[in-house]
Amino acid sequence: MLLKFYYFIMVKNTMKPCTNLLECIDPGVRAVEIAVAYVKKSGVNIFSEFLQNTKECSVITSLDFGITEPEGLEELRKLGCNVYLYDGSNEFHPKVYILDYGYKKIAVIGSSNLSEGAITGKNIEFNLLVEEEKIVKEAEVFVDRLLSESIPVTEDLISQLEKNGYEKLRRAVYDKPGKVIPVSYTHLR
């Protein structure tokens, strides 16, 4: 089994490990789909260089764990991304990036959220860049399923979060299971 894994990675060259997101991504991304547990403005600011020439951008995240920053959501929207909050029944914890360069699609799957530490290598992270078409397609199907369980982030939703004291609540429950956060945004659909 180990020999098959080695062959798949080394000989076919369809996977590449990277400890931070910047090692995985080349400039020239045309479209991006992202599903991450949380988004921070610092991460969006750094990742924005890859979004400069994208035609399509979708990001799914959550309020679970109290780490997502509304400023990060707003910044993504300003960059032209369609931003969604997962509204399913489970805690939301994926880290999947699907990048379309026009001539190839890749998936980056690992531990990196959309934060400065994860993107730059300040955090200890591990990601796997995958070029294998079948696996990239599976990642797309996964992200599409998550999208079907998500609601769009609008100006109204961000205002509602601010009005309902999300920032204070965010600090109180930081890094606790998502079900602790009693923010209901289902009524904003």
Side-chain angles (χ1 to χ4, degrees), residues 32-35 56 58-60 84 86 92 94 96 98 105 136-151:
V32 62
E33 290 180 274
I34 300 171
E56 296 175 45
S58 295
V59 179
I60 307 166
Y84 302 89
Y86 176 73
F92 192 77
V96 179
I98 300 167
K105 274 188 183 179
V136 173
K137 185 66 182 161
E138 286 294 323
E140 288 179 301
V141 168
F142 174 74
V143 171
D144 288 345
R145 183 177 57 78
L146 295 175
L147 187 58
S148 74
E149 299 177 44
S150 301
I151 61 168

Side-chain angles (χ1 to χ4, degrees), residues 83-134:
V83 183
Y84 302 89
L85 286 177
Y86 176 73
D87 195 28
S89 58
N90 297 18
E91 286 183 8
F92 192 77
H93 207 62
K95 284 92 174 166
V96 179
Y97 296 76
I98 300 167
L99 306 159
D100 185 345
Y101 291 94
Y103 61 93
K104 72 175 179 178
K105 274 188 183 179
I106 65 167
V108 178
I109 303 164
S111 64
S112 293
N113 283 295
L114 196 47
S115 68
E116 178 183 10
I119 292 173
T120 62
K122 288 181 181 179
N123 296 352
I124 296 173
E125 306 282 354
F126 185 82
N127 301 288
L128 200 55
L129 181 151
V130 180
E131 293 181 359
E132 175 65 36
E133 199 173 312
K134 187 176 178 182

Side-chain angles (χ1 to χ4, degrees), residues 7 12 21 23 54 56-57 63 72 76 89 94 120 144-146 150 168 172:
Y7 174 78
K12 288 200 155 215
L21 224 45
E23 291 177 359
T54 58
E56 296 175 45
C57 173
L63 301 179
L76 283 168
S89 58
T120 62
D144 288 345
R145 183 177 57 78
L146 295 175
S150 301
K168 181 179 174 187

Side-chain angles (χ1 to χ4, degrees), residues 25-41:
I25 302 172
D26 295 322
V29 176
R30 292 171 123 188
V32 62
E33 290 180 274
I34 300 171
V36 290
Y38 61 82
V39 169
K40 296 182 98 174
K41 187 174 182 201

